[in-house]
Amino acid sequence: MDFDRLRKLYRAELSDALFDRLGTFINRETGIKMSGDKKVMVQARLKRRLKALDLIDFESYVDLLFGPEGMRTEVVHVFDAISTNKTEFFREADHFDFLVNKVLPEYGAANSDKVLRIWSAACSTGEEVYTLGMVIQEYLRKHGAFDFRILGTDLSSFVLALARNAVYSEERVRSAVPEFMIRRYFMASRDPERQTFRVVPELRAKMCFERLNFMDDRYSVKQLYDVVFCRNVLIYFSREVQQAVVQKLCRHLKPGGYFFHGHSESLLGMDLPLKQVCSTVFKRL
Ligand SMILES: C[S@@+](CC[C@H](N)C(=O)[O-])C[C@H]1O[C@@H](n2cnc3c(N)ncnc32)[C@H](O)[C@@H]1O
């Protein structure tokens, strides 16, 4: 893009009318609430798409998006641009303590030689999935007997690609993962300049990542799960959508299986086939 077009792009503004049109579409397709205070964020994030497509105004972008070609190729970029992917290793760490002290012993006592299945729904860049993998592997080192598999799903193909790749900055890993786990479950890049760690292949082999939109009528997962983590995503939806999503997730949770949601979320007053175990953990009826 030449300098003149870049300057025009820099000045481009998303009008209220276009934001409303985009917001209605995004809300319908993803469930994410699009209140007016998100306009600045959407404008900034979509400008990167305009630049990549060599466009200098939002009118042309919206025309392209809502055209037949855009509906096939551009929608995925819009979802990537609007989703908030903040996550970290050992986020809301008491959930992993609960898993180790309650869920895994209970599962092990009833299911030796079986495969524990966990679904991290809205897994973002994978830190939640690999944290689960590390703590379960640690538990099995001491108490062995069963195996495990973890499915990570997300709306955004971009974050899923990062999750599959499992490469994280050294700083991100060191700030949250205990040193002994880093030694066991990460490999430092051969190139010291890069300062990255990659999850070891043995752990990656137990994980699988797939794209799944919570707004789909039916979820395309084939298994029933023993544990579902659905953390820090319900908060972006209306109460009505939250209830519908958790109801659909419950269809894939075994009776007696555990459901975890984030600490800033609540299922209070919802009609769900779940019994509360503690503030953010529930058991499938
Ligand atoms: C803040 S991250 C949460 C990551 C992780 N669960 C945690 O607690 O750290 C929220 C994730 O929800 C995903 N998301 C948003 N809307 C979604 C939808 N309709 N279906 C599936 N995933 C969605 C986003 O792409 C994002 O990666």
Side-chain angles (χ1 to χ4, degrees):
M1 190 178 270
D2 66 34
F3 184 68
D4 193 41
R5 284 178 74 74
L6 258 182
R7 206 173 46 199
K8 285 186 180 137
L9 171 62
Y10 179 73
R11 290 195 189 130
E13 278 191 22
L14 182 61
S15 68
D16 289 345
L18 281 185
F19 174 72
D20 283 350
R21 203 170 154 208
L22 272 173
T24 305
F25 170 74
I26 291 167
N27 178 255
R28 193 184 66 226
E29 297 296 318
T30 69
I32 297 171
K33 289 180 283 178
M34 295 297 293
S35 49
D37 56 356
K38 291 208 171 142
K39 194 177 119 172
V40 177
M41 181 269 281
V42 171
Q43 177 174 297
R45 291 189 183 177
L46 286 185
K47 266 193 190 177
R48 286 179 227 145
R49 284 307 301 156
L50 267 67
K51 188 169 179 215
L53 295 164
D54 197 25
L55 298 173
I56 53 170
D57 62 75
F58 284 97
E59 286 76 11
S60 316
Y61 182 73
V62 170
D63 284 348
L64 180 144
L65 171 68
F66 290 123
E69 181 67 11
M71 282 290 113
R72 274 200 309 108
T73 57
E74 190 55 26
V75 169
V76 63
H77 295 292
V78 173
F79 295 166
D80 286 348
I82 51 95
S83 53
T84 301
N85 309 119
K86 179 188 168 340
T87 187
E88 58 198 35
F89 291 103
F90 287 94
R91 183 176 193 185
E92 300 183 355
D94 57 323
H95 282 161
F96 302 102
D97 294 339
F98 187 90
L99 194 83
V100 168
N101 296 324
K102 173 93 176 133
V103 181
L104 299 183
E106 202 176 288
Y107 182 86
N111 300 284
S112 58
D113 296 333
K114 289 213 180 140
V115 179
L116 170 80
R117 296 192 186 277
I118 301 196
W119 179 6
S120 163
C123 65
S124 188
T125 40
E127 287 84 337
E128 182 173 280
V129 170
Y130 295 115
T131 304
L132 284 164
M134 288 187 284
V135 297
I136 298 171
Q137 197 67 66
E138 281 304 300
Y139 178 86
L140 293 178
R141 282 169 71 94
K142 294 182 204 125
H143 309 282
F146 57 90
D147 198 358
F148 72 96
R149 292 287 181 278
I150 305 178
L151 169 70
T153 63
D154 202 279
L155 171 71
S156 161
S157 322
F158 178 71
V159 293
L160 286 170
L162 296 176
R164 277 187 203 104
N165 202 24
V167 174
Y168 300 95
S169 74
E170 186 175 335
E171 187 198 353
R172 193 164 185 75
V173 175
R174 287 209 183 280
S175 65
V177 182
E179 181 59 38
F180 77 95
M181 285 194 183
I182 299 179
R183 269 185 263 118
R184 262 178 212 155
Y185 301 112
F186 288 90
M187 309 170 297
S189 166
R190 279 195 210 113
D191 175 359
E193 295 268 288
R194 294 179 65 183
Q195 300 190 314
T196 54
F197 279 122
R198 187 167 199 203
V199 177
V200 293
E202 299 76 21
L203 203 56
R204 294 203 313 267
K206 298 197 178 285
M207 319 305 185
C208 163
F209 294 94
E210 285 170 21
R211 183 166 181 270
L212 185 143
N213 183 350
F214 286 142
M215 297 303 279
D216 292 347
D217 290 339
R218 293 178 170 277
Y219 297 164
S220 56
V221 297
K222 288 164 199 79
Q223 304 280 348
L224 276 180
Y225 287 84
D226 299 290
V227 177
V228 171
F229 267 50
C230 178
R231 309 187 311 156
N232 304 301
V233 61
L234 296 172
I235 198 161
Y236 299 109
F237 304 147
S238 68
R239 293 278 296 165
E240 202 187 359
V241 172
Q242 290 179 1
Q243 172 161 314
V245 167
V246 180
Q247 262 164 357
K248 283 185 271 182
L249 289 170
C250 284
R251 289 186 203 147
H252 301 275
L253 187 57
K254 286 185 190 162
Y258 285 91
F259 181 90
F260 292 72
H261 66 69
H263 285 77
S264 46
E265 296 158 334
S266 164
L267 303 183
L268 205 72
M270 291 187 191
D271 181 18
L272 297 165
L274 293 172
K275 185 180 100 188
Q276 191 156 21
V277 180
C278 63
S279 68
T280 53
V281 184
F282 292 73
K283 224 171 174 181
R284 176 76 162 94
L285 294 172

Coordinates of all heavy atoms in Angstrom, one line a residue, residues 121-122 214 230-237 265:
A121 N -13.6 -25.9 26.3 CA -14.4 -25.3 25.3 C -14.1 -23.8 25.3 O -14.2 -23.2 26.4 CB -15.9 -25.5 25.6
A122 N -13.7 -23.2 24.2 CA -13.2 -21.8 24.1 C -11.8 -21.8 24.8 O -11.5 -21.1 25.8 CB -14.1 -20.8 24.8
F214 N -20.0 -21.8 19.5 CA -21.1 -22.1 20.5 C -22.5 -21.8 19.9 O -23.5 -22.3 20.5 CB -20.9 -21.3 21.7 CG -19.7 -21.8 22.6 CD1 -18.9 -20.8 23.3 CD2 -19.5 -23.1 22.8 CE1 -17.9 -21.3 24.1 CE2 -18.5 -23.5 23.6 CZ -17.7 -22.6 24.3
C230 N -15.3 -24.5 30.6 CA -15.9 -23.4 29.8 C -15.7 -22.1 30.5 O -16.6 -21.7 31.2 CB -17.3 -23.7 29.4 SG -18.0 -22.4 28.4
R231 N -14.5 -21.6 30.5 CA -14.1 -20.5 31.4 C -13.8 -19.2 30.6 O -13.2 -19.2 29.6 CB -12.9 -20.9 32.2 CG -13.1 -22.3 32.9 CD -12.0 -22.6 33.8 NE -10.6 -22.4 33.3 CZ -9.5 -22.2 34.0 NH1 -9.6 -22.1 35.3 NH2 -8.4 -22.0 33.4
N232 N -14.4 -18.1 31.2 CA -14.1 -16.8 30.7 C -14.5 -16.5 29.2 O -13.8 -15.9 28.5 CB -12.6 -16.5 30.9 CG -12.2 -16.6 32.3 OD1 -12.7 -15.9 33.2 ND2 -11.3 -17.5 32.6
V233 N -15.6 -17.1 28.9 CA -16.2 -16.8 27.6 C -17.7 -16.5 27.7 O -18.2 -15.7 27.0 CB -15.9 -18.0 26.6 CG1 -16.6 -19.3 27.1 CG2 -16.5 -17.7 25.2
L234 N -18.4 -17.2 28.7 CA -19.8 -16.9 28.9 C -20.0 -15.4 29.1 O -21.1 -14.9 28.8 CB -20.3 -17.7 30.0 CG -20.3 -19.3 29.8 CD1 -20.7 -20.0 31.1 CD2 -21.2 -19.7 28.7
I235 N -19.1 -14.8 29.7 CA -19.2 -13.4 30.1 C -19.4 -12.5 28.9 O -20.0 -11.4 29.0 CB -17.9 -13.0 30.9 CG1 -18.1 -11.7 31.6 CG2 -16.7 -12.9 29.9 CD1 -17.1 -11.4 32.7
Y236 N -19.1 -12.9 27.7 CA -19.3 -12.1 26.5 C -20.7 -12.3 25.9 O -21.0 -11.6 24.9 CB -18.3 -12.5 25.4 CG -16.9 -12.2 25.9 CD1 -16.0 -13.3 26.1 CD2 -16.4 -10.9 26.1 CE1 -14.7 -13.0 26.6 CE2 -15.1 -10.7 26.6 CZ -14.3 -11.7 26.8 OH -13.0 -11.5 27.3
F237 N -21.5 -13.2 26.5 CA -22.8 -13.5 26.0 C -23.9 -12.9 26.9 O -23.7 -12.7 28.1 CB -23.0 -15.0 25.8 CG -22.0 -15.7 25.0 CD1 -21.6 -17.0 25.4 CD2 -21.4 -15.1 24.0 CE1 -20.7 -17.7 24.6 CE2 -20.4 -15.8 23.2 CZ -20.1 -17.1 23.6
E265 N -18.0 -15.4 36.1 CA -19.3 -15.8 35.5 C -20.2 -16.5 36.5 O -19.8 -16.9 37.6 CB -19.0 -16.8 34.3 CG -18.1 -16.1 33.2 CD -17.3 -17.1 32.4 OE1 -17.0 -18.2 32.8 OE2 -17.0 -16.7 31.2

